[in-house]
Amino acid sequence: MKPTLFVLAAGMGSRYGGLKQLDPLGPQGQTIMDYSIYDAIQAGFGKVVFVIRKDFEQDFRDKILSKYEGHIPVEVVFQSTDKLPEGYTCPADRTKPWGTNHAVLMGSEVIKEPFAVINADDFYGRDAFRVIAEDLMRPRDRKGDYSMVGFRVGNTMTENGSVSRGVCSTSDDGLLTGVVERTAISYAPDGSIVFTDEEGKEQKLEPNTPVSMNLWGFTPDYFDYSDREFRHFLDEKISVPKSEFFIPLVIDTLIKNGEATVKVLDTDSKWFGVTYSADRPGVVEKLAALHADGTYPDKMF
């Protein structure tokens, strides 16, 4: 069974200053998503599902989905703050989306096969899609048998501000033992990589520390676990205006409960993206170089 690629594309890109999912960055106007879809097709994915917001559906269909016709089947699902389990009501003052794992839950009705989750605005690299596709196509005989591509944090930084990363710890046999979302990782003046911990203290990260870039490999049973954990999350934090239901939060819970294992897949791919508007020129330059060296054809779709 060919796996599905699930693209999280509902964010506004507040730090970037606009709908960066639709920003033409490649030499022929390609978006970062175009590269992900192209790499996914080459790796053997059989379908793409996008989660977006309803208010930019038409723009998305016109500018993005139309180009994939004839290349790979696509579907669209929608994320909104009021899409909550039965018995829960969204607070009237809630404006912030519920987070990445809430977005994942939106795919439960259309995804029935193993699937990979990616961010729409991240460039992951061809090798990353190859290793996750190979893993998703292997046989499984139990629930909770998941995977993720572990990027080295030094390959995922920007010079233009802080980034959020799921910082991972692993066992000797390559399984994820924990993941903590760090929301302010940046370069220190001496060039080292640092973050601020829960007590407000600055901590260093080694450049080869594995981090999650939200490139996960799941099977459909993950939706059931996510629904359960979302209810627990809402019971505790539904009234906290900026609380978010992150994928690493669910994964960490499942691992600690012994309900899931997550194989960390190694890749030498280098991430880049447009977290900030100042990142844009560098991304344009890198994509142009990848076309110039033949990694990508001039016409991808």
Side-chain angles (χ1 to χ4, degrees):
M1 181 181 295
K2 288 187 174 184
T4 285
L5 185 67
F6 193 14
V7 184
L8 308 185
M12 271 294 293
S14 57
R15 288 177 296 181
Y16 182 64
L19 287 176
K20 54 186 173 180
Q21 296 91 342
L22 306 184
D23 195 4
L25 298 167
Q28 283 75 43
Q30 297 94 337
T31 68
I32 282 184
M33 280 190 293
D34 289 336
Y35 295 92
S36 293
I37 305 306
Y38 183 87
D39 287 340
I41 292 171
Q42 303 304 309
F45 283 81
K47 182 175 70 174
V48 181
V49 176
F50 296 92
V51 56
I52 66 171
R53 290 199 328 276
K54 188 71 175 178
D55 60 290
F56 65 87
E57 177 186 6
Q58 196 58 52
D59 206 19
F60 194 85
R61 288 187 181 278
D62 292 343
K63 294 182 179 180
I64 300 297
L65 298 193
S66 59
K67 72 179 73 175
Y68 304 135
E69 291 180 2
H71 295 281
I72 191 169
V74 299
E75 294 190 60
V76 176
V77 296
F78 302 100
Q79 183 184 21
S80 63
T81 55
D82 60 357
K83 280 196 174 182
L84 300 181
E86 186 176 354
Y88 296 88
T89 302
C90 182
D93 60 348
R94 177 82 188 196
T95 57
K96 190 176 184 65
W98 290 107
T100 53
N101 212 90
H102 179 251
V104 169
L105 272 169
M106 301 302 101
S108 62
E109 294 184 2
V110 300
I111 299 176
K112 308 300 180 185
E113 55 283 317
F115 64 100
V117 174
I118 68 167
N119 295 330
D121 51 4
D122 288 323
F123 180 91
Y124 292 100
R126 184 164 301 173
D127 185 66
F129 285 99
R130 178 188 62 80
V131 299
I132 195 72
E134 288 180 357
D135 186 77
L136 288 171
M137 288 187 276
R138 67 177 167 84
R140 285 168 168 79
D141 57 8
R142 61 179 174 85
K143 293 182 178 180
D145 185 357
Y146 307 141
S147 58
M148 62 157 279
V149 176
F151 286 76
R152 300 174 181 90
V153 68
N155 285 342
T156 74
M157 300 295 292
T158 172
E159 302 281 353
N160 299 306
S162 64
V163 296
S164 297
R165 301 286 181 257
V167 178
C168 304
S169 54
T170 59
S171 64
D172 291 340
D173 55 355
L175 296 179
L176 189 68
T177 56
V179 54
V180 178
E181 188 78 8
R182 300 296 184 187
T183 57
I185 301 174
S186 62
Y187 285 116
D190 65 359
S192 61
I193 299 172
V194 298
F195 69 92
T196 303
D197 66 15
E198 294 84 353
E199 299 177 356
K201 296 180 180 179
E202 187 174 89
Q203 305 286 351
K204 287 190 175 182
L205 282 175
E206 292 300 317
N208 63 349
T209 301
V211 296
S212 163
M213 297 303 301
N214 264 357
L215 180 40
W216 299 92
F218 296 127
T219 46
D221 54 270
Y222 185 71
F223 293 123
D224 296 327
Y225 289 128
S226 294
D227 180 74
R228 182 193 71 191
E229 292 305 313
F230 190 42
R231 293 169 187 270
H232 293 166
F233 171 86
L234 292 172
D235 289 340
E236 294 183 4
K237 297 186 177 181
I238 192 170
S239 298
V240 181
K242 294 188 177 181
S243 59
E244 289 190 74
F245 185 53
F246 290 121
I247 294 172
L249 175 68
V250 178
I251 290 296
D252 205 44
T253 298
L254 296 181
I255 290 173
K256 289 176 179 176
N257 289 348
E259 295 176 291
T261 59
V262 179
K263 183 180 180 182
V264 178
L265 308 173
D266 184 45
T267 183
D268 58 4
S269 286
K270 292 185 177 181
W271 169 94
F272 57 83
V274 283
T275 305
Y276 301 92
S277 57
D279 293 329
R280 192 181 190 281
V283 171
V284 170
E285 183 178 343
K286 290 172 183 175
L287 292 176
L290 290 172
H291 284 271
D293 70 10
T295 301
Y296 295 102
D298 289 340
K299 182 172 176 55
M300 297 163 60
F301 297 103

